Amino acid sequence: MSFSSEVKEELSKINNFSKKEFIEAELIGYLLSANTKIEKKNIEFLTENEFNIERIYKILFKLDIEYEPEIKGKTYTAKIENIGLRKVEELKKEEEKKALVRGIFLGSGSINDPNKKYHLEILLNNKDIAQYIQNILKESGIKTKILEKNNTIYIKEGEEISKFLAFIGAQKSVLKFEDIRVMKDMRNTVNRQVNCETANLNKTVGAAVVQIDAINFLKKMKKYEELPDPLIEIAELRIEYPEMSLKDLGMHLENPIGKSGVNHRLKKIIEIADEFKRGN
């Protein structure tokens, strides 16, 4: 089962049927979703999600609204007459607004597997409704964006998706989403650290290769012994510890010096070797 279906299954089991004003608000949400067709006196809601259709059937039953169920292939349909429900502007209570958004998400919302990417979207019937729902969410501190070409509200930030799921009452899904988000962030942090350490190691090793080549060249040309003692001391350490950082090399000296001092000595060795190469 997809994460999106898990969320809808959880939402479909919310037991608030004793409060008719809330389930009416949820029904209004369903009917504002992009999966609803309105033709004259008839309203038709279509879905392929079994939890979805079970929920709307229960709501219609509790509101004493007659409906005609139908199944065509994988698509479930609920047909009702164009009854007199409240307008969205009349839903003033916080719980009514939450129910409205919950119904809209159940009606035509989806959410990606958070292990792969963060993306939640809801397709609405028109631009005005999309903006109205966006404002409701904004009032609760949930940031969303609207894709105007198809009246889609969408969220791509993990924290905002988590707040949205909490807003519509999907508490178990919030916990699962947050667990995945924490683990994902930890993996990303570890990967960044490993990549950074690998890059630094590669840089150190690359520089060490150049330094050791210069040292070996001077030995081959019988010029190594002519180097000043401080240069020979650092050269011996570099050959013994090719992967060691400049800072650690400096700490291994008889009289420890800093990173810049080590770098200066090794650069001097390379310069001396380059001078002999040019002279030859």
Side-chain angles (χ1 to χ4, degrees), residues 245-275:
S245 68
L246 298 182
K247 180 180 178 181
D248 290 339
L249 280 176
M251 297 302 294
H252 276 67
L253 293 170
E254 186 175 345
N255 295 310
I257 61 174
K259 177 180 176 181
S260 61
V262 173
N263 189 47
H264 175 75
R265 293 186 186 184
L266 290 170
K267 277 189 173 182
K268 188 63 178 176
I269 292 173
I270 293 171
E271 288 173 5
I272 293 171
D274 287 343
E275 285 178 9

Side-chain angles (χ1 to χ4, degrees), residues 1-254:
M1 184 186 296
S2 68
F3 185 73
S4 191
S5 291
E6 288 179 13
V7 174
K8 291 189 176 185
E9 179 182 15
E10 180 184 359
L11 294 175
S12 71
K13 294 178 180 178
I14 293 176
N15 189 358
N16 62 345
F17 296 109
S18 61
K19 300 177 180 179
K20 289 193 175 183
E21 68 270 30
F22 295 162
I23 59 172
E24 181 190 7
E26 190 172 321
L27 175 61
I28 293 169
Y30 271 107
L31 301 183
L32 291 175
S33 73
N35 285 332
T36 298
K37 296 179 180 179
I38 301 176
E39 295 180 358
K40 296 181 180 180
K41 293 184 178 181
N42 296 317
I43 301 175
E44 187 177 57
F45 174 76
L46 303 92
T47 181
E48 292 185 1
N49 188 290
E50 58 183 293
F51 305 114
N52 234 350
I53 203 66
E54 288 175 5
R55 178 77 178 178
I56 199 169
Y57 285 166
K58 287 180 182 177
I59 291 174
L60 292 170
F61 177 77
K62 290 293 182 179
L63 292 174
D64 295 320
I65 298 173
E66 293 186 4
Y67 65 92
E68 181 183 339
E70 189 176 287
I71 302 176
K72 292 181 180 179
K74 295 182 179 180
T75 303
Y76 302 93
T77 304
K79 294 181 179 180
I80 62 176
E81 289 187 2
N82 197 344
I83 52 176
L85 296 172
R86 286 179 291 169
K87 296 180 180 179
V88 289
E89 295 84 0
E90 297 178 69
L91 306 177
K92 301 295 184 181
K93 296 178 182 178
E94 181 70 12
E95 287 301 318
E96 288 178 330
K97 293 178 181 179
K98 289 181 178 180
L100 173 71
V101 177
R102 179 165 59 246
I104 287 176
F105 177 78
L106 282 166
S108 57
S110 64
I111 178 171
N112 279 70
D113 179 354
N115 284 297
K116 297 178 180 177
K117 68 175 181 178
Y118 301 138
H119 185 84
L120 180 149
E121 65 178 34
I122 310 172
L123 280 69
L124 284 306
N125 267 332
N126 62 66
K127 181 180 177 181
D128 291 338
I129 292 299
Q131 290 178 338
Y132 185 80
I133 299 304
Q134 184 182 50
N135 289 334
I136 288 178
L137 295 172
K138 185 178 179 181
E139 290 172 2
S140 296
I142 302 170
K143 299 175 184 176
T144 64
K145 293 183 179 179
I146 296 177
L147 188 62
E148 293 187 1
K149 68 177 182 180
N150 58 359
N151 306 313
T152 299
I153 293 176
Y154 68 93
I155 308 174
K156 290 189 175 183
E157 291 75 34
E159 183 176 352
E160 302 305 314
I161 291 175
S162 185
K163 289 192 289 186
F164 177 90
L165 292 175
F167 182 79
I168 60 175
Q171 304 303 335
K172 291 181 181 178
S173 297
V174 171
L175 294 176
K176 181 173 181 178
F177 184 87
E178 283 300 304
D179 284 344
I180 293 171
R181 195 159 77 97
V182 168
M183 291 302 297
K184 192 174 180 180
D185 288 346
M186 286 179 62
R187 285 197 300 270
N188 290 339
T189 299
V190 170
N191 287 337
R192 283 195 297 270
Q193 290 176 342
V194 169
N195 291 338
C196 182
E197 290 170 4
T198 300
N200 289 336
L201 179 59
N202 289 338
K203 184 178 179 181
T204 298
V205 171
V209 169
V210 175
Q211 295 155 6
I212 292 171
D213 282 347
I215 294 166
N216 288 334
F217 174 78
L218 292 173
K219 286 183 176 181
K220 181 180 178 181
M221 301 302 294
K222 309 298 184 184
K223 299 295 181 180
Y224 182 72
E225 292 76 11
E226 298 177 9
L227 293 174
D229 289 343
L231 298 189
I232 291 177
E233 184 183 14
I234 199 67
E236 293 297 319
L237 278 174
R238 172 47 84 203
I239 290 173
E240 186 177 356
Y241 303 108
E243 78 291 344
M244 188 175 285
S245 68
L246 298 182
K247 180 180 178 181
D248 290 339
L249 280 176
M251 297 302 294
H252 276 67
L253 293 170
E254 186 175 345

